[in-house]
Amino acid sequence: MKRAVCPGSFDPITYGHLDIIERASAQFDEVIVAVGNNRTKEGYFTVEERMAMIAETTAKFGNVKVDSWKGLLGEYCKANNIDVIIKGLRAMSDFDYELQMAQVNLQGSGVESMFMATSPAHSFLSSSLIKELAHYDGDVSDMVPPVVNAALKAREAGK
Ligand code: PNS
């Protein structure tokens, strides 16, 4: 059984992430969407809130699980029999950082990374951009699933 991980902060999950997760789920027997939980500083959404939104929006794919991890991604992969790390590349600006991460994970833990090209419709999306738009009452309904849009609106209304 070939297992892949889609790691990230997912603060919050966007249609760009979901596109990569869906396409990865067609290529692997099982895909784990893993939320990095290393940060000392609080995110916009808690790790639990992010995981709940990921679980709700990926349930339809059938072979996607949600998890979180602390520490090195390569070690998490080895401990969980994950063969491949999948990362989406939006533009060349993502490449330098992702290449460095892939090389560290290969050399340090022997775990492969594979890159998927983000679909052009989503290449400008980022969680930070979405949080900024939501903060200024911008419309993000075509960038995030309805559950995330509602959570952003609720969080901003409560501030
Ligand atoms: O969504 P992001 O913020 O781009 O996700 C980055 C993440 C969490 C995937 C990356 O920071 C990561 O893999 N962190 C775990 C620590 C690690 O293994 N770093 C690489 C070796 S220094």
Side-chain angles (χ1 to χ4, degrees):
M1 168 145 133
K2 281 276 174 200
R3 305 174 90 199
V5 64
C6 291
S9 303
F10 301 104
D11 192 23
I13 190 161
T14 71
Y15 280 141
H17 295 130
L18 282 165
D19 170 54
I20 297 291
I21 295 164
E22 178 172 14
R23 287 160 53 207
S25 78
Q27 299 298 328
F28 291 88
D29 299 307
E30 189 171 276
V31 170
I32 293 120
V33 182
V35 180
N37 192 7
N38 276 342
R39 307 274 159 90
T40 41
K41 150 169 109 67
E42 275 253 324
Y44 184 90
F45 292 110
T46 65
V47 170
E48 291 70 28
E49 287 170 329
R50 293 179 230 169
M51 288 175 71
M53 288 189 273
I54 297 167
E56 187 170 335
T57 50
T58 59
K60 58 184 177 226
F61 303 140
N63 61 343
V64 175
K65 291 188 171 160
V66 188
D67 196 8
S68 67
W69 92 97
K70 276 194 170 122
L72 291 178
L73 178 59
E75 295 308 303
Y76 168 79
C77 291
K78 281 206 308 199
N80 291 280
N81 298 315
I82 292 167
D83 308 286
V84 178
I85 297 166
I86 299 284
K87 295 299 295 257
L89 291 182
R90 289 166 295 194
M92 276 309 285
S93 49
D94 285 339
F95 182 74
D96 279 352
Y97 174 75
E98 295 300 347
L99 178 64
Q100 192 181 29
M101 287 298 124
Q103 288 169 331
V104 168
N105 289 323
L106 182 63
Q107 183 147 322
S109 310
V111 181
E112 288 290 355
S113 292
M114 292 186 188
F115 297 126
M116 291 180 74
T118 302
S119 112
H122 305 304
S123 62
F124 69 96
L125 283 189
S126 74
S127 298
S128 343
L129 176 89
I130 284 159
K131 282 179 283 197
E132 175 134 359
L133 277 166
H135 181 68
Y136 293 110
D137 215 17
D139 181 12
V140 296
S141 58
D142 57 352
M143 303 176 193
V144 294
V147 64
V148 175
N149 195 18
L152 284 163
K153 280 192 186 340
R155 180 62 49 93
E156 289 303 324
K159 268 186 180 164

